[in-house]
Amino acid sequence: MNYWIILYILGCVLKFEGAFLVLPFLVGVIYRENIAPCYLLVAALCFLLGLLLTRRKPKSARLYIREGFVSVAFSWIFMSIFGAIPFVLTGEIPFYIDALFETISGFTTTGASILTDVESLSRASLFWRSFTHWVGGMGVLVFIMSLLPLMGGSTMNLMKAESTGPSVSKLVPHARDTAKILYGIYFALTVFEIILLLVFRMPLFDALTTSFGTTGTGGFGIKCDSFASYSPAQQNIVTVFMILSGVNYTAYFYLLHGKIKDIFHLEEVRWYFIIILASAGVIACNTRQFYPAIGETLRHAFFQVGSIITTTGFATTDFDLWPELSKSILVLLMFVGACAGSTGGGMKVSRLLILFKSARKELSLLIHPQQVKKIRLNGRVIEHEVIRSTNVFLVLYFIIMMLSMLLVSIDSYNFTTGFTSVVATLNNIGPGLDLVGPTQNFSIFSAFSKIVLIFDMLAGRLELFPLMILIMPDTWKHK
């Protein structure tokens, strides 16, 4: 284990977090809030620690898979630990576990909150809370890679650990250039949404925080009713950008390079839109009696389907009051998630396609034992390593989910509350059902349950493996 390279990466992350924390300080200064210096103080602390950790470059800059996964896991943990401090210093979230829950929910783009009155927060804290979505959406290490030449070609192991999906490939030969392309697309989507929301008369502060949560597929709202009080036009804009943010960014890369035909070969993207259209259509029919006009019904149906499948978590209506069929569809969409290579969470459409095709292949082999059949996705043969990784992911996923449900049930809330709280955090959704529904929050849980859900949020965002190898004894052996 190359500990020096891990410490160096942690130092880089802390320096960047220090720079990020200057933004809410400036927001506080603009709005003349006396809590603004708290953010500057933590920014200075992060930058100082970052300088100490990066003052000496490691002798060996080679980054293997083990170091890559450990670096990513610790980076997210340390980033969250320091990112929570301003909430405590300002007194707006006085208990550190609550502040850590809120911060990790932000960085992991979950959007689950312990706040009962979000509108009582200062503008600086509201900005930081939403900005954590944008930072965590694409990944802080991907952002750093796009700016700094950290470890040459071995940085691909960082991207593999932080990016979403069963497999990660380079869009261009160099990992750093791939990171630049990803963040370029991410930034362009964010700016375009901000402009559209401003055109439709959303206040600048609201447009910024909303766009951070939409393109980062986070879901922290700055109003107590999430997104219900905004105009239908503004809700429709957010619906479109939530769905676009759940698309595999490879599709945008093809679009930018005029490879339109290649986009149609992306099976995952096709099925992603099919699932959205089918789910919204069924929900619209099932909830028709809840709204006076068909247009309003469709607006809420598409907004909530887009919000849940992309794991954003915004809400325009209390879907906990919907019929059981509609709620069941939303819970299933929590598991499905968005596309691989997007900012969305969940199991990912590509993994489900691989699992479905693997099951079909095994059933076919029972009938034709001598048959030689390859599993293909997007017209390419899926390597056995990817299939094995997908199967292991599924096993770990359900083990973590079942253990988390068991531990959270100690608080003695009803099954729907406990089950959907775990599903909503492990899949980085945000709201669940019943006591953690769209009009409720997670403040009801004990400190122990919040720690369990914090682990679930981190495990879900990092796709299990980086966090799980931290508890493997072999990880820490010198080889």
Side-chain angles (χ1 to χ4, degrees), residues 15 27 65 90 179 206 234-235 269 276 352 356 456:
K15 285 197 291 187
V27 171
I65 291 179
T90 60
D206 295 41
Q234 292 165 351
Q235 291 175 4
V269 176
I276 289 174
L352 294 177
F356 174 78
D456 288 344

Side-chain angles (χ1 to χ4, degrees), residues 138 171 178 181-190 192-193 214-215 217 238-260 262-264 266 269 272-273 276 310 338-344:
M138 186 60 66
L171 298 177
T178 298
I181 291 169
L182 290 173
Y183 252 97
I185 296 169
Y186 189 45
F187 185 77
L189 280 174
T190 306
F192 192 33
E193 183 183 1
T214 305
T215 53
T217 61
V238 171
T239 300
V240 170
F241 277 89
M242 283 192 297
I243 294 171
L244 290 177
S245 297
V247 172
N248 191 323
Y249 274 41
T250 302
Y252 299 125
F253 177 76
Y254 289 155
L255 186 65
L256 288 171
H257 288 78
K259 300 178 180 179
I260 307 299
D262 290 338
I263 297 176
F264 293 103
L266 297 174
V269 176
Y272 170 71
F273 282 106
I276 289 174
T310 62
C339 297
S342 72
T343 58

Side-chain angles (χ1 to χ4, degrees), residues 3 66 468-479:
Y3 293 104
R66 179 171 58 161
M468 295 306 295
I469 68 166
L470 293 182
I471 61 175
M472 297 287 291
D474 286 348
T475 302
W476 307 105
K477 291 180 180 177
H478 289 278
K479 291 185 179 179

Side-chain angles (χ1 to χ4, degrees), residues 81-352:
I81 288 171
F82 285 95
I85 295 175
F87 289 126
V88 179
L89 291 181
T90 60
E92 293 174 304
I93 305 180
F95 300 107
Y96 185 76
I97 292 296
D98 286 346
L100 187 63
F101 184 99
E102 199 78 9
T103 305
I104 288 179
S105 182
F107 279 125
T108 60
T109 71
T110 303
S113 179
I114 51 83
L115 295 170
T116 55
D117 182 14
V118 67
E119 293 180 36
S120 65
L121 290 183
S122 63
R123 290 297 182 110
S125 293
L126 285 174
F127 182 89
W128 174 239
R129 189 169 168 265
S130 295
F131 189 64
T132 54
H133 281 335
W134 198 82
V135 173
M138 186 60 66
V140 66
L141 288 170
V142 174
F143 178 76
I144 293 173
M145 285 167 56
S146 69
L147 298 177
L148 300 177
L150 288 178
M151 276 72 61
S154 60
T155 51
M156 192 62 194
N157 289 325
L158 285 176
M159 187 174 285
K160 286 180 179 178
E162 193 173 47
S163 299
T164 61
S167 63
V168 178
S169 58
K170 298 177 185 177
L171 298 177
V172 289
H174 299 291
R176 186 186 175 192
D177 293 332
T178 298
K180 284 182 178 179
I181 291 169
L182 290 173
Y183 252 97
I185 296 169
Y186 189 45
F187 185 77
L189 280 174
T190 306
V191 171
F192 192 33
E193 183 183 1
I194 291 170
I195 292 170
L196 280 177
L197 290 174
L198 290 174
V199 168
F200 282 85
R201 299 184 178 182
M202 181 179 281
L204 177 60
F205 184 83
D206 295 41
L208 287 170
T209 53
T210 296
S211 298
F212 292 153
T214 305
T215 53
T217 61
F220 274 152
I222 62 170
K223 295 183 181 293
C224 293
D225 63 2
S226 186
F227 219 74
S229 58
Y230 289 103
S231 71
Q234 292 165 351
Q235 291 175 4
N236 289 334
I237 290 169
V238 171
T239 300
V240 170
F241 277 89
M242 283 192 297
I243 294 171
L244 290 177
S245 297
V247 172
N248 191 323
Y249 274 41
T250 302
Y252 299 125
F253 177 76
Y254 289 155
L255 186 65
L256 288 171
H257 288 78
K259 300 178 180 179
I260 307 299
K261 290 183 179 179
D262 290 338
I263 297 176
F264 293 103
H265 292 151
L266 297 174
E267 287 182 68
E268 181 185 31
V269 176
R270 287 205 308 269
W271 278 103
Y272 170 71
F273 282 106
I274 288 170
I275 292 169
I276 289 174
L277 289 170
S279 301
V282 172
I283 288 176
C285 292
N286 191 230
T287 59
R288 179 67 185 87
Q289 71 276 16
F290 283 75
Y291 306 102
I294 186 64
E296 186 178 359
T297 306
L298 288 169
R299 172 162 52 85
H300 289 305
F302 273 98
F303 188 100
Q304 291 312 144
V305 167
S307 178
I308 297 299
I309 195 171
T310 62
T311 71
T312 304
F314 284 138
T316 56
T317 186
D318 187 0
F319 55 77
D320 197 31
L321 301 176
W322 282 358
E324 294 303 315
L325 173 61
S326 295
K327 289 194 289 186
S328 297
I329 290 172
L330 292 181
V331 171
L332 290 175
L333 292 178
M334 290 181 183
F335 287 97
V336 173
C339 297
S342 72
T343 58
M347 293 178 67
K348 305 293 181 301
V349 176
S350 59
R351 278 201 183 92
L352 294 177

